[in-house]
Amino acid sequence: MTAPLLQVNGVQKRYGGVHALKGVDFDLAAGEVHVLLGENGAGKSTLMGVLSGAVSPDEGSVALDGRPVRFASPRDAHAAGIAMIPQELDLVPGLDIAANLFLGSEITHAGVLAHGTMRQRAQALLKSAGVALNASLPVASLRMGERQLVAIAKALSAQARILIMDEPTAALSAVEADHLFTVVRDLAARGVGIVYISHRLEEVGRIGDRVTVMRDGLVVGTAGPDAPQAALVRMLVGRPFSDLFPPRAGTLGAPILRLDHARFEPRHPRPGWQAPQDVSLIVHAGEIVGLTGLMGVGRTELLSALHGFGANGRWHGTVEVRGKPASLGTIAAARRAGIAYVTDDRRGTGLVLNHTVAQNAVMSTLRRVTPFGLVSRALERREVATALDTYDIRPRLPDAKVVNLSGGNQQKVVFAKELMNGPGLLLLDEPTRGVDVGAKAEIYRRLRALAGSGLGVLVASSELPELIGLCDRIVVMQAGRTVHEFGAGPAEDEVRRVSEGEVAAA
Amino acid sequence: MTTVSTPATAPRPRKSPLAYLVRFQSLLGLVIVIIAGIVFSPRRHGHILFLQTDNIANIIRSISETGILALGMTFVIIAAGIDLSVGAVLGLCSVLTAQLLVNEGWGLWSTLPLVIVVGVLFGAVQGAISTKARIQAFIVTLAGLQAARGLSLIVSNNSFININYGQGPGSAPPAFAVLGERIGGVFPVATLVFLVLAAVSAFVLNNTRYGRYVFAVGGNEKAARLSGIPVNAVKISVYALTGFVSAIAGIVHAGQFAFGSPNDGTGYELNAIAAVVIGGTDLFGGAGSMVGTIAGAVMLGALANILQLNDISAAMQLLATGAIIVAAAALQTLVVSRGTR
């Protein structure tokens, strides 16, 4: 048997007191897609740093084609044919594709840029990467998926034999991700070895030839592409999948939200915005209701139309909050009705990162701490202390800037900010997107606890196993309509069939 | 992911000494400038000219107008906006005041409220255009600057209006002259106006719900909207505020100099922005301090004064001002880049 393309043996790395890699073995064959899974802090990034020359290991060896190599810098690794595509793509949006592909290695004639030559070669590179894009398009005009493909072409321009991709689908739509997979498979078929770092368990079977799971600086195990998700989760977090979900609640309260054949009419209709057409659903106090359906059926739009952010308009049909007709459709109306929305985009729409925990926590309840429009420091302090305690925000420092908190604690501040208002209904859109499995379990526990305290919770998610494990009921949508409702714990296949348009078994 | 594994006990985020330096940079700068003033001041008969009552009165009088503008500018910049029209609106309000008092024979009690309403409306309209039509404030207020200059030429009929005091047509009410006077022969009335407005501004920014709204809108507009804060109203209101302070500054200008000219206040917007930036307010919005702005304004005035006392050319004054602005911005950038690592 010939030596594998890449072989890592017993690699260790310490940062001060942190033992980031505790003796890692890893190998990659030519023409293989090897998925690397791991939670934040598992050591994936450090390992990739070692492979791409950015990190020099304390112990252990790296071999290419069976010959030991030692990279002093990313440039060395690059010269050896290892290219890394970081999550934040290193493309210049203002330049066209050709200029990006030749950035730093421009072709010149007598010191003048040879635009024609570069464009031709760029076009050839794009073609060889299976990308149908015109090389003279500015990168700024491309969608995220297309940029990802350009980044791949750029890596290939350096004759890369090993490609390291760091969560390439994190910002892509399902269609874009599909296309990316095709390109990646095609590259592998031509003998490129690909290390594919991911958070998403469902990608393992679709793209990988093998999967290796890391935890706490160690390789926990390597499996084939058909490894069941439950087994992978157990490897990732060290406990079974079913343990991620808290037990369901027993008693239901009164209905908080009731929609009956309700239709939303946006004030400014937009193409591609699937307005709710005919929605019937009930959320009771104390329960978690899931909202599912294929991409673009209007899950997000339904939530928007309820909480008023990104949607402005009027509801027709029956819309009741706590048994009374409610007029929703603006942020102000939703707040009056006691509807809170926890955004998944905490940096973009959830928090003021440069402000303190205290400032953020009282942001939606400023009225309460400013009697007669004047700030009462005493009321403010009391409010913030309650928030810190109730949501267990760490460190317990009101004056810490939110930007310095961990992602999980930032998310807690978003919850605190919204829930300090004492809402009756909580809306969440993809609450665990981009979050690793351990943190997901924490979010599930918190949602169940909130429901237990009498809140109604409506969750939209594209991850079916999550909804099935978490929710008391699941509502399926198609083209802006609610078409079916499942009770607790339905079979995944059944829900999928209904989502895809088949009539549910009675 | 760029997250580094964090130990179980999160480290206490400590404020770096640099952060304190930025927070009090303008006060610190002010102290340094004052010390420099004393050291480098020319002396006459053993007296330090810089510290002479008359000289200090001159400094605080000279900063009263840009200081007043800077107060409003602080609100706008904290709300992540900018207002380039303040100098031109000052000019418009100055000629309007002179025109109404002198040539139209209006009294003080009708002129001043009208001028203030004009300033507030001018600002509010700019704010509304920027917010509703989603045009950058830089562009809208740049256009506003041109428009206000044009209006001042129309109002003044393209001429310089002298304010004579007295009774009857062609003269302004003598009471208006008070703006050019000094209390007890020492303390300029114009400075008093600045100080009163400064105190009110600092209170509003730090101790009212409105102030919190301004910080939140500038910090993250979307998050503010999602938190139920009336974002559009806040954004329009800060431009109404700069319009208000521009009107007050215009009235003070007319009173101090006893004339109104369509070119009044040319370039003042840049001095006002300079005072705000030196005061530690973040041009990206969401962070800033009124005390910093006030100190920044006084510092710029004192600096100009020292250079004048030493007969250093106007060119050097401009260069020194530029250097200080860059230093203040560099200090902030340094702290911001440290803070997010």
Side-chain angles (χ1 to χ4, degrees):
Chain A
M1 197 185 130
T2 54
L5 180 57
L6 173 76
Q7 175 89 50
V8 175
N9 272 323
V11 162
Q12 299 212 28
K13 181 69 188 176
R14 283 173 194 276
Y15 292 106
V18 182
H19 206 164
L21 294 177
K22 303 173 183 169
V24 169
D25 299 334
F26 183 82
D27 64 274
L28 178 71
E32 176 190 43
V33 179
H34 195 154
V35 180
L36 186 63
L37 282 178
E39 307 260 80
N40 283 334
K44 290 175 310 205
S45 305
T46 312
L47 179 58
M48 290 310 109
V50 169
L51 295 184
S52 63
V55 176
S56 67
D58 299 335
E59 273 174 55
S61 66
V62 178
L64 273 179
D65 299 318
R67 281 188 298 277
V69 286
R70 192 139 199 129
F71 303 131
S73 73
R75 191 172 301 180
D76 286 1
H78 213 245
I82 299 180
M84 167 120 186
I85 301 178
Q87 212 176 352
E88 305 286 335
L89 302 177
D90 44 2
L91 300 176
V92 183
L95 296 178
D96 65 14
I97 296 177
N100 267 287
L101 293 185
F102 289 99
L103 201 63
S105 53
E106 287 83 359
I107 302 169
T108 55
H109 293 317
V112 180
L113 288 176
H115 285 293
T117 316
M118 283 196 285
R119 207 155 281 165
Q120 266 171 22
R121 291 222 206 147
Q123 203 64 59
L125 269 171
L126 289 173
K127 192 161 177 241
S128 76
V131 183
L133 285 173
N134 187 331
S136 53
L137 285 172
V139 166
S141 70
L142 306 180
R143 286 193 298 270
M144 281 315 293
E146 294 170 333
R147 294 185 194 196
Q148 192 66 249
L149 297 175
V150 171
I152 292 176
K154 188 177 173 186
L156 295 179
S157 74
Q159 307 292 315
R161 301 157 63 213
I162 297 175
L163 194 56
I164 303 171
M165 308 179 79
D166 191 0
E167 302 198 26
T169 56
L172 304 193
S173 72
V175 178
E176 289 178 317
D178 279 346
H179 188 193
L180 180 80
F181 288 159
T182 316
V183 172
V184 169
R185 289 260 45 122
D186 189 46
L187 286 178
R190 286 192 278 139
V192 178
I194 293 156
V195 181
Y196 186 104
I197 302 175
S198 181
H199 257 12
R200 301 190 181 179
L201 295 171
E202 63 274 14
E203 291 187 340
V204 171
R206 292 184 55 196
I207 185 78
D209 296 307
R210 273 194 298 167
V211 53
T212 290
V213 181
M214 287 186 73
R215 190 171 78 227
D216 297 333
L218 284 169
V219 167
V220 188
T222 298
D226 49 357
Q229 281 197 16
L232 293 176
V233 169
R234 188 192 275 270
M235 281 158 75
L236 271 172
V237 294
R239 55 191 161 129
F241 187 58
S242 54
D243 280 10
L244 292 181
F245 299 103
R248 291 188 170 78
T251 52
L252 288 190
I256 300 276
L257 175 74
R258 190 171 81 91
L259 301 176
D260 191 25
H261 295 292
R263 180 172 69 82
F264 182 75
E265 185 193 329
R267 186 132 46 107
H268 310 286
R270 277 170 281 169
W273 201 84
Q274 174 62 63
Q277 295 294 321
D278 180 2
V279 176
S280 302
L281 62 83
I282 299 183
V283 182
H284 296 92
E287 75 172 339
I288 301 179
V289 177
L291 206 53
T292 189
L294 301 177
M295 277 284 168
V297 294
R299 298 187 308 244
T300 298
E301 288 85 344
L302 172 56
L303 293 190
S304 276
L306 289 172
H307 63 66
F309 184 67
N312 197 325
R314 285 166 58 95
W315 280 94
H316 303 279
T318 307
V319 177
E320 289 177 359
V321 175
R322 293 178 203 276
K324 290 195 198 87
S327 108
L328 299 175
T330 62
I331 294 174
R335 292 198 159 264
R336 274 195 302 276
I339 296 177
Y341 169 61
V342 172
T343 164
D344 63 316
D345 181 13
R346 53 176 187 263
R347 294 173 154 266
T349 57
L351 298 167
V352 184
L353 290 173
N354 272 326
H355 285 185
T356 63
V357 171
Q359 279 173 301
N360 275 285
V362 297
M363 205 159 128
S364 68
T365 45
L366 270 173
R367 242 159 222 295
R368 276 221 301 264
V369 300
T370 52
F372 309 108
L374 301 180
V375 175
S376 154
R377 312 269 168 197
L379 282 177
E380 194 178 20
R381 258 196 307 278
R382 204 181 312 153
E383 194 92 342
V384 172
T386 313
L388 286 169
D389 293 339
T390 313
Y391 300 99
D392 189 28
I393 295 162
R394 287 179 217 177
R396 203 188 172 290
L397 294 174
D399 294 327
K401 286 202 172 172
V402 165
V403 70
N404 294 328
L405 264 55
S406 69
N409 279 294
Q410 288 181 358
Q411 190 68 20
K412 289 183 200 171
V413 178
V414 180
F415 270 95
K417 187 190 87 172
E418 288 305 323
L419 295 170
M420 295 299 277
N421 258 336
L425 178 68
L426 183 59
L427 307 175
L428 300 107
D429 193 8
E430 303 281 356
T432 63
R433 174 155 49 196
V435 169
D436 59 36
V437 181
K440 280 182 184 180
E442 170 64 22
I443 292 174
Y444 301 147
R445 199 192 52 74
R446 192 174 318 136
L447 291 182
R448 186 47 78 186
L450 287 169
S453 71
L455 221 62
V457 181
L458 182 60
V459 189
S461 172
S462 51
E463 288 187 40
L464 265 187
E466 161 173 305
L467 287 184
I468 291 168
L470 176 70
C471 298
D472 298 301
R473 282 185 295 124
I474 296 175
V475 174
V476 184
M477 287 185 76
Q478 281 173 15
R481 294 174 164 76
T482 52
V483 293
H484 194 74
E485 189 177 310
F486 290 97
E492 192 174 331
D493 288 348
E494 183 73 4
V495 182
R496 192 149 294 179
R497 272 216 310 281
V498 174
S499 302
E500 285 167 6
E502 292 180 29
V503 180
Chain B
M1 301 241 52
T2 50
T3 38
V4 184
S5 61
T6 40
T9 50
R12 247 180 99 92
R14 259 186 314 133
K15 273 227 171 91
S16 76
L18 267 175
Y20 282 108
L21 200 58
V22 160
R23 185 142 180 224
F24 299 110
Q25 68 179 21
S26 52
L27 288 173
L28 209 73
L30 184 56
V31 171
I32 293 171
V33 166
I34 288 172
I35 293 171
I38 296 169
V39 172
F40 293 113
S41 167
R43 284 145 213 265
R44 199 167 296 155
H45 309 304
H47 293 296
I48 299 169
L49 285 189
F50 181 73
L51 291 181
Q52 294 289 299
T53 320
D54 231 31
N55 188 55
I56 291 175
N58 268 334
I59 295 175
I60 58 179
R61 191 200 53 74
S62 72
I63 57 138
S64 57
E65 288 170 32
T66 45
I68 290 170
L69 296 180
L71 299 174
M73 191 68 79
T74 307
F75 280 98
V76 170
I77 292 182
I78 290 177
I82 191 82
D83 188 344
L84 300 178
S85 72
V86 289
V89 176
L90 181 155
L92 171 63
C93 291
S94 170
V95 288
L96 188 61
T97 306
Q99 175 71 14
L100 292 176
L101 288 178
V102 176
N103 294 339
E104 306 291 332
W106 287 33
L108 281 182
W109 293 113
S110 43
T111 302
L112 300 189
L114 181 89
V115 170
I116 289 172
V117 166
V118 167
V120 169
L121 273 182
F122 197 95
V125 167
Q126 293 187 96
I129 292 173
S130 165
T131 308
K132 298 287 181 189
R134 298 181 192 205
I135 305 174
Q136 281 153 341
F138 188 97
I139 307 290
V140 173
T141 58
L142 184 63
L145 184 162
Q146 312 290 348
R149 285 280 171 231
L151 284 174
S152 355
L153 287 172
I154 294 171
V155 167
S156 63
N157 206 6
N158 199 5
S159 64
F160 183 99
I161 304 168
N162 246 316
I163 301 179
N164 311 305
Y165 297 106
Q167 306 296 331
S171 315
F176 190 61
V178 75
L179 285 169
E181 283 167 10
R182 298 184 174 208
I183 301 166
V186 179
F187 196 84
V189 174
T191 306
L192 183 68
V193 175
F194 167 54
L195 287 184
V196 169
L197 282 179
V200 173
S201 302
F203 180 81
V204 170
L205 186 65
N206 296 323
N207 295 297
T208 66
R209 186 190 304 152
Y210 176 74
R212 295 294 163 96
Y213 280 180
V214 171
F215 274 107
V217 168
N220 183 342
E221 190 182 322
K222 286 179 179 168
R225 204 179 286 278
L226 204 44
S227 299
I229 291 172
V231 171
N232 288 352
V234 171
K235 284 170 78 175
I236 294 170
S237 74
V238 291
Y239 291 96
L241 264 180
T242 45
F244 174 77
V245 293
S246 303
I248 299 283
I251 291 166
V252 169
H253 190 89
Q256 277 204 86
F257 299 104
F259 66 77
S261 148
N263 293 323
D264 282 345
T266 302
Y268 279 26
E269 61 277 355
L270 299 180
N271 288 331
I273 293 170
V276 175
V277 171
I278 291 170
T281 293
D282 186 349
L283 269 179
F284 288 109
S289 125
M290 198 59 79
V291 175
T293 294
I294 296 162
V298 177
M299 177 179 154
L300 282 178
L303 183 76
N305 179 263
I306 297 167
L307 298 174
Q308 276 161 12
L309 284 182
N310 287 288
D311 283 331
I312 292 171
S313 68
M316 286 307 295
Q317 288 181 39
L318 291 172
L319 287 173
T321 311
I324 287 176
I325 294 170
V326 171
L331 193 57
Q332 276 177 57
T333 311
L334 198 64
V335 172
V336 170
S337 61
R338 292 261 176 104
T340 48
R341 288 293 136 87

